[in-house]
Amino acid sequence: MKKSEAFETVSTLGWLSKQPTAFRKRLLDDARVRSFEPGQALFEAGDPAHSLVGLTSGTFEVALDHPQFHMQLVHIARPGTWLGQATAYGNDLTRSVSVRAKIKSSAIVISRQKIEAMIEEDPLCLRYFALLSELHLHECLRAIAELSQRDSFGKVCARLISLGVSLVRGSNAKTIEIPVTHDEFAGLCGISRKTLERVLGELKQIGVIDVHYRSITILDLKKLSAIAAGDNLPRSAGSQAAAS
């Protein structure tokens, strides 16, 4: 991916696109663009936090090494996502998650030295990195709210929407393809694969999604959102009981 294309992506999607132009230009000045092959690790949990990474193409898998459940997939990152803001908060911090490329991907990588120089020059830069932390906190709270839903049907709808809206570039997207297997998405929803496939089958029958071997495609995001909100639910009593 050309550097100009990478810069355009992060300047129009995600956290950096919402920051002041001067900060954005300063951060991207002399930034490197790196390519990653499928399965290649960007970093592992516990590694030193030595860089900030912005995804420009492809998909990253974000996994947490839980003390009881071991390595768990917790997020699928798409272009516009930034990871590693701990780099701005001190040189003794470590990574809290492991990140790997799910498919061939590219990313902008900014060194800790560059970020430290920016903060030394203008300490107010810290507020923009804090906004990235706040964004991640909001995403975590949203996921907690979705996973707390007892009805599997509503939970799956909400998780599809959260993943889907992160993939939309602009407001005119008619379909949204989510690159996730059934096993991975069942884990992200906190339900069994059997339950997931039952719910996906029902959503496919309604006509709001299509299901493929390694992906799920949202065909009608507006209608899916209405269903998740409890509106427009063409479901039988038996299917409602089965999905709960």
Side-chain angles (χ1 to χ4, degrees), residues 131-174:
L131 288 174
L132 178 55
S133 295
E134 183 180 19
L135 173 63
H136 287 173
L137 175 61
H138 176 78
E139 291 171 345
C140 290
L141 291 173
R142 177 170 177 162
I144 290 170
E146 292 165 355
L147 291 170
S148 68
Q149 300 302 305
R150 299 182 63 183
D151 174 56
S152 297
F153 187 87
K155 183 185 299 187
V156 169
C157 289
R159 298 298 281 153
L160 281 171
I161 293 166
S162 286
L163 285 176
V165 295
S166 71
L167 312 182
V168 175
R169 188 166 192 162
S171 57
N172 298 320
K174 294 184 178 180

Side-chain angles (χ1 to χ4, degrees), residues 9 12-15 17-18 55-60 62 74-82 135-136 138-139 142 146 157-170 173 175-180 185 188 216 218 221 224-225:
T9 297
T12 56
L13 290 175
W15 160 75
S17 68
K18 297 176 175 61
L55 180 58
T56 57
S57 69
T59 306
F60 286 166
V62 182
V74 295
H75 185 59
I76 296 177
R78 295 290 284 169
T81 299
W82 287 85
L135 173 63
H136 287 173
H138 176 78
E139 291 171 345
R142 177 170 177 162
E146 292 165 355
C157 289
R159 298 298 281 153
L160 281 171
I161 293 166
S162 286
L163 285 176
V165 295
S166 71
L167 312 182
V168 175
R169 188 166 192 162
T175 63
I176 306 168
E177 184 177 4
I178 302 172
V180 63
F185 192 52
L188 289 171
I216 301 168
I218 298 175
L221 182 61
L224 181 63
S225 299

Side-chain angles (χ1 to χ4, degrees), residues 152-224:
S152 297
F153 187 87
K155 183 185 299 187
V156 169
C157 289
R159 298 298 281 153
L160 281 171
I161 293 166
S162 286
L163 285 176
V165 295
S166 71
L167 312 182
V168 175
R169 188 166 192 162
S171 57
N172 298 320
K174 294 184 178 180
T175 63
I176 306 168
E177 184 177 4
I178 302 172
V180 63
T181 67
H182 287 191
D183 281 337
E184 291 168 341
F185 192 52
L188 289 171
C189 293
I191 59 178
S192 69
R193 175 167 176 164
K194 181 178 179 180
T195 298
L196 174 69
E197 290 180 344
R198 184 168 60 236
V199 175
L200 292 179
E202 188 172 349
L203 290 172
K204 182 178 180 178
Q205 187 175 18
I206 295 170
V208 294
I209 69 165
D210 198 4
V211 181
H212 310 284
Y213 175 59
R214 300 186 68 84
S215 66
I216 301 168
T217 300
I218 298 175
L219 302 176
D220 191 332
L221 182 61
K222 184 176 181 180
K223 187 174 181 181
L224 181 63

